[in-house]
Amino acid sequence: MKITFMGAGSTVFARNVIGDCMCSEHLRDSVFALYDIDAERLEESRVILEAMRVTKGGFGSIECYCGVENRKEALRGATFVINAIQVGGYDPCTIIDFEIPKKYGLRQTIADTLGIGGIMRALRTIPVMEEFARDMEEVCPDAWFLNYTNSMAMLTGYMQRYTKVKTIGLCHSVQVCSYFLLKALGMEDKLENRKELIAGINHMGWLLEIQDKDGNDLYPEIKQRIEEKMNDPKCYDKVRYDYIRNFGYYCTESSEHNAEYNAFYIKSKYPELIEKYNIPLDEYPRRCINQIEQWRKEYAELLENGVKDHERSHEYASRIMEAIVTNTPYEIGGNVLNTDHLITNLPAEACVEVPCLVNGSGIHPCHVGPLPVQCAAMNMTNINVQLLTIEAAVTKKREHIYQAAMLDPHTGSELDIDTIKKMVDELIEAHGDYLPEYH
């Protein structure tokens, strides 16, 4: 079996996912094909993963493919393809996505999923993923494409609507959502055998039900305990706690992410909200710089002291592959097209995040029904942007980029239409060859 990793220069993530595969007796004998366009980073990943493979018993093999000219061979005959690319990287593209909007008074925290930063990231990534899809349709038409790249709903939704590739979008936040909520609120005693239902969209999936092992609803106690947390100056999850207060439910992704998915918290006319809710403006650029520096140190240490043994992570990828290969049922939270209205009060063409059953015949999304109307309404403010961004990528019409930015809750609440268009034009110009279709 062949497992291909696109964007293998993302060494830490590649180590986690491929390392997880090496922990599985059903996957460890695979050929692990690593693909990237950066030769230096690809070699770093090869060195780490090869050492890990030896540490794990020497099963399987690792192959490396560098550059677009070798991409098709990297994909040829793959059973599973993992996608973790970042088109344009931190420098220059992430810097552009933050600095130009900042000139117009538009501040961001992460800018990879929604907002003007998320729109631009999706537009420069979709053409690359379309090339992946065309190659896969030719050389591994039956492979599953496991997408981890943001903007998740836009990229996954595009692949599901406009290619023949079997695609599932995967995030880290669903499987740890209730765990970290209960732990943060001092309710660890409720963790064992808890029952939950999460559904919505990526990064704004709602914890609709949370019960202890005996079936008791935990939300009443959760709602009591968050009031104390909201008064804690060191609490960094206040946006999501505020969601519980005002919308009734907790959501999957962190407060720094959700602070920019709406019109409520990052507001130039209300600067005091930044401190009140502990919102880390410009968090992602800082995180990138720290991660780059941390990886340099870690890589030097690994070369000197050797690779430590890997323990299987909470990422879904290896579990999905194992469930399909062994026909052993496994449940995930996956990003899928809302075909047949899995969530009945969201549009059919939306990419939604719902429980999915995985087994030998593939990945099967579960019907959820309607979300609470306020939760569906919050999701729709994001879905509008996602659908218009996909429309721009398909039609190559700049007007749809304008419309996506205009309808983005945060952008539209801060800037007027003419300013939004001017900002979009400047971003397209600055991204240059990463967005050639719109010049």
Side-chain angles (χ1 to χ4, degrees):
M1 187 167 69
K2 183 175 179 179
I3 299 170
T4 299
F5 196 111
M6 311 299 282
S10 303
T11 308
V12 174
F13 189 62
R15 179 181 60 185
N16 283 344
V17 173
I18 300 298
D20 288 351
C21 294
M22 292 176 180
C23 291
S24 167
E25 63 179 285
H26 303 288
L27 304 175
R28 65 189 183 187
D29 280 322
S30 300
V31 173
F32 299 104
L34 310 181
Y35 170 82
D36 208 283
I37 59 171
D38 186 321
E40 183 179 348
R41 292 182 63 176
L42 182 61
E43 174 61 12
E44 288 181 359
S45 292
R46 186 198 67 78
V47 169
I48 298 302
L49 288 168
E50 182 60 37
M52 186 182 293
R53 188 183 71 82
V54 172
T55 300
K56 282 291 182 187
F59 298 96
S61 62
I62 293 172
E63 299 176 352
C64 289
Y65 300 85
C66 187
V68 174
E69 66 277 13
N70 294 308
R71 184 180 64 213
K72 196 175 287 188
E73 287 308 308
L75 292 166
R76 189 178 300 279
T79 304
F80 299 100
V81 178
I82 302 153
N83 184 52
I85 62 171
Q86 184 181 352
V87 177
Y90 164 67
D91 188 1
C93 288
T94 295
I95 294 172
I96 291 169
D97 284 345
F98 273 84
E99 293 305 313
I100 289 177
K102 200 183 294 185
K103 284 171 44 182
Y104 293 87
L106 190 66
R107 302 300 301 275
Q108 300 172 96
T109 52
I110 306 293
D112 73 349
T113 297
L114 205 74
I116 192 62
I119 292 167
M120 290 294 143
R121 182 180 280 226
L123 290 173
R124 62 179 181 264
T125 307
I126 284 174
V128 177
M129 287 178 57
E130 182 181 16
E131 292 177 3
F132 290 0
R134 301 307 165 224
D135 284 352
M136 288 181 66
E137 288 166 1
E138 180 183 341
V139 301
C140 57
D142 296 323
W144 272 97
F145 187 76
L146 312 183
N147 179 48
Y148 275 101
T149 297
N150 285 324
S151 310
M152 176 60 66
M154 301 183 200
L155 302 181
T156 305
Y158 173 83
M159 292 289 284
Q160 290 161 342
R161 289 170 63 193
Y162 292 101
T163 79
K164 297 175 183 175
V165 174
K166 295 186 292 188
T167 302
I168 184 75
L170 303 173
C171 187
H172 324 281
S173 56
V174 176
Q175 58 267 55
V176 298
C177 173
S178 65
Y179 173 84
F180 283 121
L181 172 63
L182 296 177
K183 194 171 181 184
L185 295 179
M187 297 171 66
E188 292 95 339
D189 59 316
K190 311 294 187 186
L191 286 170
E192 188 177 358
N193 294 324
R194 67 192 183 280
K195 304 165 190 173
E196 64 185 41
L197 172 63
I198 294 176
I201 60 172
N202 179 243
H203 284 191
M204 199 188 279
W206 302 99
L207 182 62
L208 299 171
E209 298 173 9
I210 176 72
Q211 301 171 341
D212 66 16
K213 61 184 179 182
D214 298 317
N216 299 305
D217 183 8
L218 295 179
Y219 259 123
E221 185 176 352
I222 288 168
K223 289 175 180 178
Q224 283 182 334
R225 293 193 179 220
I226 63 168
E227 293 308 319
E228 183 181 336
K229 286 289 186 179
M230 291 299 283
N231 295 320
D232 180 358
K234 295 181 180 179
C235 174
Y236 287 90
D237 205 16
K238 292 185 177 182
V239 169
R240 288 199 288 177
Y241 293 157
D242 208 42
Y243 275 13
I244 298 176
R245 277 174 158 182
N246 292 292
F247 296 97
Y249 300 90
Y250 192 63
C251 83
T252 48
E253 190 48 83
S254 64
S255 283
E256 64 263 27
H257 273 277
N258 270 276
E260 63 184 5
Y261 298 164
N262 54 65
F264 310 134
Y265 302 104
I266 305 175
K267 301 178 77 67
S268 54
K269 287 187 177 180
Y270 300 89
E272 69 276 8
L273 295 178
I274 301 303
E275 183 177 351
K276 179 179 178 181
Y277 288 97
N278 278 331
I279 296 170
L281 296 173
D282 298 327
E283 167 66 16
Y284 190 63
R286 280 195 302 274
R287 194 177 290 179
C288 289
I289 292 167
N290 290 338
Q291 285 176 342
I292 291 167
E293 184 58 33
Q294 185 179 339
W295 170 243
R296 284 181 185 142
K297 291 178 181 175
E298 186 179 346
Y299 186 63
E301 187 179 310
L302 289 168
L303 290 178
E304 184 176 343
N305 301 322
V307 174
K308 297 174 184 174
D309 197 12
H310 175 79
E311 291 186 13
R312 204 165 183 178
S313 75
H314 63 255
E315 298 294 352
Y316 280 139
S318 69
R319 310 285 182 182
I320 290 171
M321 292 184 253
E322 195 172 63
I324 291 175
V325 168
T326 64
N327 192 25
T328 304
Y330 184 72
E331 185 184 317
I332 66 166
N335 289 272
V336 298
L337 212 56
N338 195 29
T339 308
D340 299 325
H341 285 92
L342 302 165
I343 298 178
T344 53
N345 51 352
L346 295 181
E349 64 271 25
C351 181
V352 295
E353 198 165 63
V354 295
C356 301
L357 177 67
V358 188
N359 60 23
S361 59
I363 300 172
H364 313 282
C366 299
H367 178 83
V368 174
L371 298 178
V373 66
Q374 72 275 17
C375 296
M378 280 286 281
N379 285 165
M380 276 308 305
T381 66
N382 286 223
I383 290 169
N384 292 332
V385 181
Q386 294 160 3
L387 296 182
L388 277 162
T389 303
I390 293 172
E391 196 71 14
V394 172
T395 64
K396 308 296 187 279
K397 290 182 179 178
R398 192 180 289 213
E399 66 193 73
H400 291 314
I401 308 177
Y402 295 151
Q403 292 158 354
M406 287 155 52
L407 288 169
D408 174 64
H410 177 43
T411 305
S413 71
E414 289 283 87
L415 306 178
D416 67 276
I417 288 175
D418 289 341
T419 303
I420 289 171
K421 289 182 176 180
K422 187 177 178 184
M423 178 181 67
V424 167
D425 289 341
E426 188 172 342
L427 281 162
I428 290 170
E429 185 65 30
H431 281 305
D433 290 342
Y434 288 105
L435 294 174
E437 303 93 337
Y438 306 99
H439 284 272

